[in-house]
Each structure stands twice: as structure tokens, then as C-alpha cells.
């Protein structure tokens, strides 16, 4: 996660900080777009399709077979 690219970080229990970041996101379409694109890059390796593709690639490389 990168601040302002795939996430917005605030200190725990910082209600004013959370409020400020929410207001910022609600009023900044470009920031929301940037965060949306950024988080998709972060989660891509964990999507079922990616995990399965990596599993079958490793299976083929190792010469393993599934019963």
C-alpha cells in the first residue's frame, strides 16, 4: 500500500484525520480514481484467477500432476 496511491492512512483514533481524508476523497474525483486504480494493482496477485494461474504454472514447471 502506498499513501495517496492505493490507500489513505490516518493515525488510529484520529477522528479529525479520518474526517479530513473522507472530505478530501469526496471532493477530489482524481484522487478517488487514483486510489481505485492503485488498489486494483495491489490486490491483483491475490485474485483467484491469478492464484490459479500461478499454481498451474508452478505445477507445470515442477512436473507435478493433480489427481
Amino acid at each position: 500500500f502506498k499513501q495517496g496511491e492505493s490507500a489513505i492512512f490516518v493515525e488510529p483514533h484520529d477522528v479529525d484525520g479520518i474526517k479530513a481524508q473522507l472530505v478530501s476523497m469526496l471532493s477530489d474525483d482524481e484522487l478517488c480514481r487514483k486510489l481505485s486504480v492503485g488498489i486494483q494493482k495491489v490486490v491483483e496477485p491475490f485474485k483467484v484467477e491469478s492464484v490459479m494461474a500461478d499454481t498451474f504454472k508452478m505445477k507445470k514447471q515442477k512436473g507435478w500432476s493433480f489427481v
Side-chain angles (χ1 to χ4, degrees), residues 10-67:
V10 294
E11 291 296 320
H13 310 290
D14 180 2
V15 175
D16 290 333
I18 294 169
K19 179 182 173 184
Q21 291 301 331
L22 286 171
V23 168
S24 175
M25 289 189 316
L26 290 171
S27 63
D28 188 342
D29 290 341
E30 179 58 25
L31 175 61
C32 288
R33 187 202 63 75
K34 187 176 182 180
L35 290 170
S36 179
V37 169
I39 198 63
Q40 291 302 314
K41 292 177 184 176
V42 170
V43 302
E44 182 61 35
F46 304 102
K47 290 183 177 178
V48 170
E49 297 85 0
S50 296
V51 172
M52 292 303 297
D54 290 345
T55 300
F56 284 111
K57 182 178 176 182
M58 182 175 63
K59 172 192 164 287
K60 185 175 181 178
Q61 289 172 343
K62 301 284 185 180
W64 297 343
S65 64
F66 294 126
V67 177

